[in-house]
Amino acid sequence: MKNFFKYREIWLLAGIVVLIGLISTRFPGFADPANLRQVFNDTSILMILALGQMVVILTRSIDLSMASNLCFTGMVVAMLNAAHPAIPIPALIAIALLVGLALGAINGFLVWRLNIPSIVVTLGTLTIYRGATFVVSGGAWVNADQMSPDFINFQRAAFLGLPVLSWIALLVIALFFLVMTRTQIGRSIHAIGVNPTASVYAGIDVGRTKFIVFCISGMIGGLAGYLWISRYVIASVEVANGYELNIIAACVIGGISIAGGIGSVGGAVLGALFLGIISNALPVINISPFWQMAISGSAIILAVVLNARGERRQGRIILRKAEAA
């Protein structure tokens, strides 16, 4: 039982259950399966983005440009759909992935080859990509009446009781779980976060691995670009403005250590779900938007404190064993 409760995901899942229970005392229908499915669907895009950010953070880096990537890619596919509505949706999704990959590769190249800190690189590309969105669109919006019905309805279609958007999120979660637990690149990502110097001696190319994780986060941003625009049926320069903070918050709440090396797919998903529950529930129970921000911020600070204490505790245990030896 002691080993069972040492996993942060268990505590976070328990916190989500308690949170749902507390909300249900004010709004009894919140815990209904149909409503919880809707909450999951509403949070799907944030889950997908949090997974892309997770692999970057695990390597002691950060990608502040994901929301701008989403905005630019979403504008590109929306404009393509408006101009050429006959383009199949799978082709548009593939284009979104490729555009996102290109933007992520720019970040990765600058971090890898020029050895510029990721926070500096992505702070710059955050502005560049959003500015590029304005240049591409000429400052114009793409509205719902310019989008084809297939573009809008694809992710809203239901399959086995769940919208396609939820199935896409589940597929992305499964793919990330397999990559992080069953592949060499997954093990390399964790190793770099734990000790970059030792990783070099173990034969891991740290720079190339960081380039790969930025490409992954870029592709995820591109995928989210299509999903966001087709869900909210509007493309503009302001899309997802500031959303990079929500993405990072989901990772931090999910136990992804900013210092790198510590975190899991389950943690990122649960962190996003925690934020999703708060954003869906607090307006229903008439909590002021300002209190919503305060509650979300408090949850982030608490998560950081708990993560830091957990990491220090592990460090003290290792030191004790070394001294005993």
Side-chain angles (χ1 to χ4, degrees), residues 13 35 47 59 101 137 168 189 199 218 229 237 271 277 312:
L13 181 59
N35 187 67
M47 291 180 188
T59 62
L101 172 61
S137 65
I168 292 174
I189 288 170
S199 297
I229 299 304
V237 180
I277 290 171
R312 285 201 301 270

Side-chain angles (χ1 to χ4, degrees), residues 316-325:
R316 284 198 296 271
I317 292 173
I318 292 172
L319 183 60
R320 241 183 262 125
K321 288 182 179 178
E323 289 173 349

Side-chain angles (χ1 to χ4, degrees), residues 137-283:
S137 65
W141 293 15
V142 180
N143 299 308
D145 58 353
Q146 298 172 268
M147 301 176 189
S148 69
D150 288 343
F151 184 89
I152 296 172
N153 295 327
F154 172 73
Q155 53 133 324
R156 289 176 168 80
F159 177 70
L160 298 179
L162 281 178
V164 170
L165 175 58
S166 293
W167 284 111
I168 292 174
L170 291 171
L171 176 61
V172 172
I173 291 168
L175 286 174
F176 268 84
F177 178 80
L178 290 175
V179 169
M180 297 305 296
T181 60
R182 298 290 186 272
T183 67
Q184 180 62 44
I185 185 64
R187 290 188 287 272
S188 297
I189 288 170
H190 278 287
I192 290 171
V194 172
N195 193 323
T197 303
S199 297
V200 173
Y201 287 108
I204 298 172
D205 189 326
V206 174
R208 186 174 63 182
T209 302
K210 287 190 175 185
F211 175 77
I212 291 172
V213 299
F214 276 103
C215 288
I216 292 172
S217 71
M219 291 182 69
I220 289 297
L223 173 62
Y226 163 72
L227 296 175
W228 184 292
I229 299 304
S230 63
R231 179 168 178 77
Y232 299 108
V233 290
I234 188 168
S236 75
V237 180
E238 298 301 320
V239 162
N241 193 19
Y243 202 68
E244 54 275 347
L245 300 180
N246 296 59
I247 301 168
I248 296 170
C251 291
V252 171
I253 291 173
I256 315 299
S257 174
I258 296 298
I262 298 175
S264 69
V265 170
V269 171
L270 290 172
L273 189 58
F274 183 88
L275 287 179
I277 290 171
I278 290 178
S279 64
N280 275 269
L282 296 186

Side-chain angles (χ1 to χ4, degrees), residues 6-226:
K6 75 179 181 180
Y7 296 106
R8 305 177 190 201
E9 294 83 354
I10 299 298
W11 289 108
L12 183 54
L13 181 59
I16 289 173
V17 172
V18 170
L19 180 62
I20 292 173
L22 292 173
I23 295 168
S24 298
T25 61
R26 293 282 303 275
F27 180 60
F30 189 82
D32 290 346
N35 187 67
L36 293 179
R37 284 196 298 269
Q38 184 60 47
V39 171
F40 182 89
N41 192 63
D42 291 343
T43 314
S44 291
I45 296 177
L46 179 57
M47 291 180 188
I48 293 170
L49 289 166
L51 290 171
Q53 186 72 248
M54 175 198 72
V55 294
V56 176
I57 292 178
L58 285 174
T59 62
R60 300 190 178 187
S61 302
I62 197 163
D63 187 353
L64 298 176
S65 69
M66 286 193 80
S68 297
N69 182 330
L70 181 162
C71 179
F72 179 83
T73 308
M75 178 62 77
V76 168
V77 294
M79 292 177 65
L80 278 174
N81 178 252
H84 306 283
I87 297 177
I89 299 305
L92 285 175
I93 293 176
I95 291 170
L97 289 170
L98 289 174
V99 173
L101 172 61
L103 299 182
I106 293 171
N107 289 335
F109 179 82
L110 294 173
V111 171
W112 175 24
R113 289 302 188 184
L114 301 186
N115 201 30
I116 304 173
S118 61
I119 191 170
V120 175
V121 169
T122 58
L123 186 61
T125 54
L126 177 157
T127 306
I128 293 170
Y129 295 162
R130 201 164 286 274
T133 307
F134 182 87
V135 172
V136 168
S137 65
W141 293 15
V142 180
N143 299 308
D145 58 353
Q146 298 172 268
M147 301 176 189
S148 69
D150 288 343
F151 184 89
I152 296 172
N153 295 327
F154 172 73
Q155 53 133 324
R156 289 176 168 80
F159 177 70
L160 298 179
L162 281 178
V164 170
L165 175 58
S166 293
W167 284 111
I168 292 174
L170 291 171
L171 176 61
V172 172
I173 291 168
L175 286 174
F176 268 84
F177 178 80
L178 290 175
V179 169
M180 297 305 296
T181 60
R182 298 290 186 272
T183 67
Q184 180 62 44
I185 185 64
R187 290 188 287 272
S188 297
I189 288 170
H190 278 287
I192 290 171
V194 172
N195 193 323
T197 303
S199 297
V200 173
Y201 287 108
I204 298 172
D205 189 326
V206 174
R208 186 174 63 182
T209 302
K210 287 190 175 185
F211 175 77
I212 291 172
V213 299
F214 276 103
C215 288
I216 292 172
S217 71
M219 291 182 69
I220 289 297
L223 173 62
Y226 163 72

